[in-house]
Amino acid sequence: MTDTQNPQPEPQHVVGDEVNGHRLTQTESGTLEWLPVPGAGFGAGQPTSPEPTEHSQPPKGRTLPVWAWIVIGVVAVLTVIGGIGAIGNANRSDTAAPTPSVATTRAQPAEAKKPEPSAEPEMVTIGDYTGQTAEYAAAALKSLGLEASYATAGDATVNGTVPAAGTVVEAGTAVTIDATEKPKLTLAQQNALKTAGDYIAYMPFSRQGLIDQMTSEYGSGYDVETATWAVDSLAIDYNAQAAKAAQQYLDLTGFSRDGLFEQLTSEYGGQYTPEQANAGLAAVGY
């Protein structure tokens, strides 16, 4: 039997093609095989079982490459695993414990805080700074916790305050100091003031006796107006001056009370007023 009698199937054969009494058939395992066609003759005498030769063997069925089967196997395994996982997730979803519901409660309003009682304000009494300098009065008021102000020079003499001395006010209250600035002194006044102070420091004088001493041609020689201004500008305690004079007279010689009173009040003596003389006598024991 020649090749023309048993041709090899070409790649273009498909399932169902018949060649030399054989039909290309796909088996249950998926392979392609040439199987004899029942009742088909073979050759001229149509034998029922032709003896196959090398060229009369039915073509072998087509099989897929090894790598294709590996890919198919991997896909099948993954598909199975995925199905198992989906079933497990479904079971877990069905058996998962329900999430407990959170009870909604209405927030209670915060209790309003009661205001704390305010502290009692600190109260202070304004002092009397009349005759002091404005600077001194301001420092004293500030030490009490008050606000002090004045519109004069610091060495101005205080006349009073607003609010007035003795007023009880809250700490921090503003107090205005009323003060009078000292007049600008002439050179004669400055010297007369110094001279009057020196005389009083040296020996006792009555007011008139000191003016006479300052205006005498044998004394300082000031005019009466300047001398009087200087004497009156000094804060002199004439009762104390009379007591010093009485003691000096008694240190020189003995005097009766009347004699000593006459000496203290005489225009040729101390020139003290009767009231000042009596104060001086009482101071020395008369």
Side-chain angles (χ1 to χ4, degrees):
M1 195 176 294
T2 63
D3 290 339
T4 58
Q5 292 177 335
N6 250 345
Q8 293 292 328
E10 296 299 328
Q12 65 271 16
H13 289 303
V14 294
V15 175
D17 288 352
E18 292 184 7
V19 177
N20 294 334
H22 290 77
R23 182 182 296 147
L24 184 61
T25 305
Q26 184 174 5
T27 66
E28 292 181 357
S29 62
T31 60
L32 298 178
E33 296 183 5
W34 290 99
L35 298 178
V37 177
F42 188 81
Q46 295 183 349
T48 57
S49 296
E51 184 178 351
T53 63
E54 180 181 358
H55 296 287
S56 65
Q57 291 293 331
K60 294 181 179 180
R62 288 186 181 175
T63 60
L64 296 178
V66 175
W67 63 266
W69 287 108
I70 294 175
V71 172
I72 292 173
V74 171
V75 171
V77 171
L78 293 177
T79 302
V80 172
I81 293 175
I84 294 173
I87 295 172
N89 290 335
N91 292 335
R92 282 195 295 271
S93 299
D94 293 339
T95 60
T99 303
S101 61
V102 179
T104 303
T105 58
R106 180 176 298 176
Q108 296 297 325
E111 183 179 355
K113 293 184 179 180
K114 296 180 180 180
E116 296 182 359
S118 57
E120 292 293 331
E122 181 183 359
M123 307 302 291
V124 294
T125 303
I126 299 176
D128 185 2
Y129 307 106
T130 303
Q132 301 289 344
T133 64
E135 185 176 14
Y136 173 86
L141 290 168
K142 289 179 180 179
S143 68
L144 295 175
L146 301 173
E147 297 293 333
S149 62
Y150 52 87
T152 60
D155 61 350
T157 302
V158 175
N159 302 318
T161 57
V162 180
T167 304
V168 179
V169 296
E170 290 186 14
T173 300
V175 179
T176 302
I177 299 171
D178 177 27
T180 301
E181 293 190 11
K182 295 179 180 180
K184 300 298 181 181
L185 303 180
T186 64
L187 182 59
Q189 288 175 326
Q190 294 177 27
N191 284 289
L193 196 60
K194 183 176 183 302
T195 300
D198 290 343
Y199 279 133
I200 287 294
Y202 178 71
M203 62 183 299
F205 281 94
S206 65
R207 177 179 182 276
Q208 189 58 51
L210 185 54
I211 292 173
D212 289 346
Q213 181 66 29
M214 293 185 67
T215 56
S216 170
E217 59 179 333
Y218 303 105
S220 299
Y222 290 99
D223 62 80
V224 176
E225 182 180 0
T226 301
T228 301
W229 173 86
V231 171
D232 291 342
S233 295
L234 298 177
I236 301 173
D237 183 356
Y238 290 108
N239 289 341
Q241 293 295 310
K244 290 181 181 180
Q247 188 61 52
Q248 284 183 356
Y249 284 132
L250 290 175
D251 290 342
L252 291 175
T253 185
F255 280 92
S256 66
R257 187 184 190 284
D258 290 343
L260 189 52
F261 179 85
E262 184 67 24
Q263 185 65 33
L264 288 172
T265 57
S266 171
E267 61 176 330
Y268 303 104
Q271 302 187 68
Y272 291 97
T273 65
E275 293 78 13
Q276 294 166 356
N278 285 326
L281 291 173
V284 295
Y286 271 132

